[in-house]
Amino acid sequence: NTPVNKPLERQSVRIFNTLGIPRREIAEVSFTADRGVYGMRVFDKDGKEVPCQVITSRHYEIEKEQNRGTAFQPHIPAADTLINAGMLLFPVEVPAMGYNTYLMEAVHEDNILPITGTHASWQDGLLQVESDRYRILLDPSRGGIITSLVAVDMDKEFVKQDRTTGFNEIRGYFPSANSFLGSAAAPARIEILENGPLRVHLAIHAQIGGLPILSEM
């Protein structure tokens, strides 16, 4: 449980593209961290920082009374702020049949600036998911259906407000009820598993005809 006195150097990761066309996608790299790590930073081969998102799978379990100051790490905060292991997401650009190298660096100070981008937030009982391209509203009171889907650059709404069934609603015929039933008839619980800035991951716990449904998006 002793804090490290010297941080690890930057670690490199090489992303290969085996296709005959250039690709720009989100890469996922698993990592483990020393004690005292608050977050991660990523740089391209030219030393330019690129946005990244940390999905923490394990935290360090420490007690506040165990705090010991060092020249490198002046204090250790509460357990849920220190990263032990996780997944690092960052955008990559790789030429056709080639590769690019990126550098990963641990952040040992609790002063990470937030990165704007894709994010989810609650607005008047609805969950709004917004990116640079789309803005989506989900209604948990109606089974988590999508009540609005707007293409931001086109300023176009894709959900017709006079629909008789919900957009993204799950429906089916139930012989026991002798009718069609839909998931919009019962409320749902929407769980935010990941919240930007590169990706939002939701789990929608709904039901249809009294049977539980779990859908992710």
Side-chain angles (χ1 to χ4, degrees):
N1 292 329
T2 302
V4 295
N5 293 314
K6 182 179 179 182
L8 291 175
E9 300 294 333
R10 288 182 176 179
Q11 300 183 54
S12 62
V13 56
R14 184 157 289 173
I15 309 296
F16 289 88
N17 178 14
T18 59
L19 300 182
I21 56 174
R23 300 171 67 181
R24 189 180 192 279
E25 300 182 19
I26 300 296
E28 300 183 14
V29 178
S30 59
F31 71 94
T32 56
D34 289 330
R35 292 175 63 86
V37 172
Y38 293 86
M40 300 291 291
R41 301 173 69 188
V42 179
F43 302 84
D44 63 18
K45 59 182 178 61
D46 299 319
K48 180 181 178 181
E49 186 172 1
V50 300
C52 66
Q53 176 177 338
V54 175
I55 303 172
T56 306
S57 60
R58 188 169 65 243
H59 295 275
Y60 276 110
E61 295 182 359
I62 57 177
E63 301 295 334
K64 291 183 178 180
E65 54 266 28
Q66 291 179 337
N67 291 357
R68 297 184 178 90
T70 64
F72 163 64
Q73 179 178 287
H75 73 283
I76 302 177
D80 60 357
T81 62
L82 290 178
I83 301 171
N84 177 223
M87 187 75 69
L88 184 62
L89 312 180
F90 55 94
V92 298
E93 295 186 18
V94 188
M97 302 296 293
Y99 64 85
N100 256 339
T101 302
Y102 292 82
L103 300 176
M104 302 185 303
E105 178 183 79
V107 177
H108 294 271
E109 298 84 21
D110 189 15
N111 58 358
I112 304 175
L113 297 177
I115 302 173
T116 58
T118 303
H119 65 280
S121 60
W122 290 98
Q123 307 285 342
D124 300 324
L126 302 178
L127 182 62
Q128 177 174 287
V129 181
E130 189 168 7
S131 70
D132 58 340
R133 296 186 177 183
Y134 298 101
R135 183 170 60 252
I136 304 174
L137 288 177
L138 296 97
D139 188 352
S141 68
R142 300 173 59 194
I145 65 170
I146 296 175
T147 60
S148 177
L149 173 56
V150 176
V152 176
D153 55 346
M154 300 169 56
D155 193 23
K156 178 177 175 59
E157 172 67 69
F158 287 94
V159 178
K160 294 182 179 180
Q161 301 305 311
D162 58 352
R163 291 175 58 99
T164 57
T165 59
F167 189 85
N168 202 43
E169 179 184 7
I170 298 176
R171 292 183 60 83
Y173 181 79
F174 283 68
S176 59
N178 195 28
S179 65
F180 281 90
L181 301 178
S183 58
R189 179 173 63 88
I190 303 178
E191 183 181 6
I192 303 176
L193 303 178
E194 302 171 16
N195 195 3
L198 299 179
R199 185 172 73 187
V200 169
H201 185 192
L202 307 177
I204 303 175
H205 304 266
Q207 58 177 306
I208 178 173
L211 301 175
I213 302 172
L214 173 59
S215 57
E216 298 187 20
M217 62 178 296

